[in-house]
Amino acid sequence: MARAQLEPRADRQVFELPLEVKPEHIDENGHVNNVVYVGWLQDAGTAHWNASFDEDTRTRWSWVGVRHEIDYFRPLMPDATGVKARTWVGEPQGPRFNRFVRIEDGEGRLCAQGVTEWVLVDAKTMRPHRIPADMLPAFQR
């Protein structure tokens, strides 16, 4: 069954993160192991957050991933270079955001895509908190 490829909405900021394929990422099938992609989804979201908000904001708030979904399209081999993650967020739902990530090879071909559901929490209490309206413009174009 063919899966639709994720494409960012025109009104969303797209953040790019270069990724490195390391020897320890390669599994017995000779390509990047599926578990590595989960880490890359988290790395992309965290890097976007860190690049978009100041230290005070990042100290006050934190994000917790509560669900990951990944589709694989083509394997990344040990010699892959130029790999990158492209990420953007969907609509806020109270304390939740879906974050979309495309993992592309050096030629821009889609290798995998994923959606992570993130929940904003107060960093001290770890209790969920509605995403503040003043946070939203950082994710928009």
Side-chain angles (χ1 to χ4, degrees):
M1 177 170 118
R3 291 182 174 82
Q5 294 185 9
L6 296 174
E7 293 292 340
R9 291 178 14 182
D11 64 339
R12 290 293 183 244
Q13 178 200 71
V14 177
F15 181 81
E16 290 189 5
L17 178 69
L19 301 171
E20 180 183 359
V21 175
K22 298 178 180 178
E24 59 267 27
H25 295 163
I26 307 305
D27 63 17
E28 62 276 356
N29 294 318
H31 55 71
V32 173
N33 187 277
N34 294 2
V35 174
V36 173
Y37 288 89
V38 175
W40 284 346
L41 294 184
Q42 181 170 322
D43 293 347
T46 300
H48 189 194
W49 168 248
N50 289 338
S52 299
F53 293 93
D54 62 31
E55 185 176 348
D56 289 340
T57 303
R58 295 189 322 264
T59 299
R60 179 173 181 200
W61 303 110
S62 188
W63 292 93
V64 176
V66 295
R67 182 175 184 278
H68 304 286
E69 179 180 315
I70 302 175
D71 297 312
Y72 301 96
F73 292 90
R74 75 175 58 243
L76 280 167
M77 306 313 275
D79 59 350
T81 59
V83 178
K84 67 181 174 183
R86 295 177 55 227
T87 186
W88 64 95
V89 298
E91 284 298 317
Q93 303 288 323
R96 298 172 186 268
F97 251 142
N98 277 338
R99 174 172 289 283
F100 304 93
V101 180
R102 287 175 54 107
I103 306 294
E104 300 172 353
D105 66 14
E107 297 178 35
R109 297 178 299 186
L110 181 62
C111 297
Q113 65 185 18
V115 179
T116 297
E117 184 176 343
W118 289 92
V119 175
L120 182 69
V121 296
D122 178 292
K124 290 182 182 163
T125 66
M126 295 305 287
R127 294 186 56 90
H129 191 281
R130 178 176 290 279
I131 298 165
D134 64 352
M135 192 179 283
L136 299 177
F139 297 113
Q140 299 168 345
R141 283 192 198 209

